[in-house]
Amino acid sequence: MRTQVAIIGSGPAGLLLGQLLHGAGIDAVILERQSRDYVLSRIRAGVLEDGTVRLLDAVGAGARLHAEGLPHDGFELLFGGRRHRIDLQRLTGRRVTIYGQTEMTRDLMDLRASEGAATVFEAKDVALHDFDGSKPSVTFTKDGVAQRLDCEFIAGCDGYHGISRASVPGSAMQIFERGYPFGWLGILADVPPVSHELIYAGEERGFALCSMRSQSRSRYYVQCAADEDIANWPDERFWDELRLRLDPATAEALVTGPSIEKSIAPLRSFVAEPMRFGRLFLAGDAAHIVPPTGAKGLNLAASDVHYLSQALIDYFGERSSAGIDAYSAKALARVWKAERFSWWLTSLMHHFPQDSAFGRRIQRAELDYLAGSDHAMAALAENYVGLPY
Ligand code: APR
Ligand code: PHB
């Protein structure tokens, strides 16, 4: 097989890149390790920046998102027993859209299939070759048959555990990392959301988040120990703990029901530099991870592939390599700002087991400052709706 761009991974980064290239007449093949159904069964993030929405519109994948997504003009921070609204619309003139990453993935997959663009699901043993030369290729096994895909570029969109970053010699890459001494226990349930906007709660018992996927489907999280055993969290215990982390009125209004998904995610900040190695580019989770507090992971994947698609369009259109030469630095500049924001909001809102009383007071002082200063709120809001690109 032959193509211009071999895309590894059929998550949001790979799928959106595929559509952006397709729209410019650039041929790409996506190789995905899992089945389509498996990819569509993963529950992931749910907050889209308007830049991400614009990209989805630009590739013609925005119809269901506009019909079913929930535009949010603000969210709330809960601390000291009170909810404080961050009015995104007033502070920035912009909003975010609640739409599950799973749904966005489905829309992009359906669009890709309707255009007859090639995706190989259940591509096993994917291996990258010769991306430091001029003729890269990717080998894989499909239904037990060894195959080879020749290409001009490889886009590594295969997430944190993928093969792309792992194919680069360690000496060519610098890793920046921070772990956090806790995780998030998340639950999905077919109950109406407790509030029409998201609530980020940072009370004494630890962080909690009230989110949603629709008017009838809620997503809730509580901060838990990093090594927490999910078997210790029957639904009732989860709901009890969530209530204890909310203000009385919100706890009272909470509608509970059986969980349809429950999982624990560790929190981590991670960046691999650079994001280009010869003819291999990394994009999305393959290159960086943010803790979910700022809702930036999915949106960073979108801005990465925006930059990458522009670079490849310049290359194939004008035979100019200026764009591909600038990709890594351009993407990383935005990535690091989102890393900073996600680290900051995580540090502000969580209970750190080792924190001294001083640390708690500093968190509280910063929250009080935020709630009382339009300037501070504007800085939070402008990062939350997404920095420009
Ligand atoms: N070969 C082929 N495909 C692979 C391989 C491999 N060796 N390893 C991983 N993949 C696939 C995964 O199965 C997955 O479908 O790559 C895809 C990567 O998708 P995501 O993990 O969703 O990563 P990305 O597209 O960068 O999406 C951004 O931001 O909100 C966060 O974690 C959230 O998934 C989201 C991410
Ligand atoms: C989610 O709905 O899954 C979600 C929302 C906001 C976040 C993180 C996760 O900051």
Side-chain angles (χ1 to χ4, degrees), residues 268-291:
R268 179 189 298 123
S269 299
F270 173 94
V271 181
E273 291 188 1
M275 288 170 63
R276 176 201 177 188
F277 307 88
R279 286 178 170 259
L280 167 64
F281 302 95
L282 301 181
D285 277 17
H288 42 73
I289 298 286
V290 285

Side-chain angles (χ1 to χ4, degrees), residues 8-14 31-34 39 42 44-45 101 123 126 157-159 161-163 283-286 297-298 301:
I8 318 298
S10 172
L31 303 178
E32 165 61 50
R33 176 168 60 181
Q34 306 289 356
V39 173
R42 292 189 298 223
R44 295 279 183 86
Q101 177 178 319
V126 169
C157 301
D158 48 352
H161 300 287
I163 190 65
D285 277 17
L298 167 63

Side-chain angles (χ1 to χ4, degrees), residues 7 9 12 46 48 50 57 69 82 121-122 128 145 151 176 222 238 249 274 293 306 309 329 366 376:
I7 299 176
L48 307 189
D50 57 3
D57 281 336
R82 282 189 51 214
F121 287 102
E122 297 177 84
L128 282 48
V145 181
C151 56
F176 302 85
V222 294
F238 180 92
T293 324
H306 163 74
S309 65
E366 183 153 9

Side-chain angles (χ1 to χ4, degrees), residues 43-47 98-100 184 188 198 200 207 209-213 218-221 291-296 345 384:
I43 305 299
R44 295 279 183 86
V47 180
I98 304 302
Y99 191 63
W184 278 17
L188 190 69
L198 270 57
Y200 290 80
F207 176 78
L209 171 60
C210 305
S211 182
M212 66 194 75
R213 288 293 173 276
S218 299
R219 180 75 166 155
Y220 293 105
Y221 299 93
T293 324
K296 290 287 160 243
L345 196 56
Y384 193 85

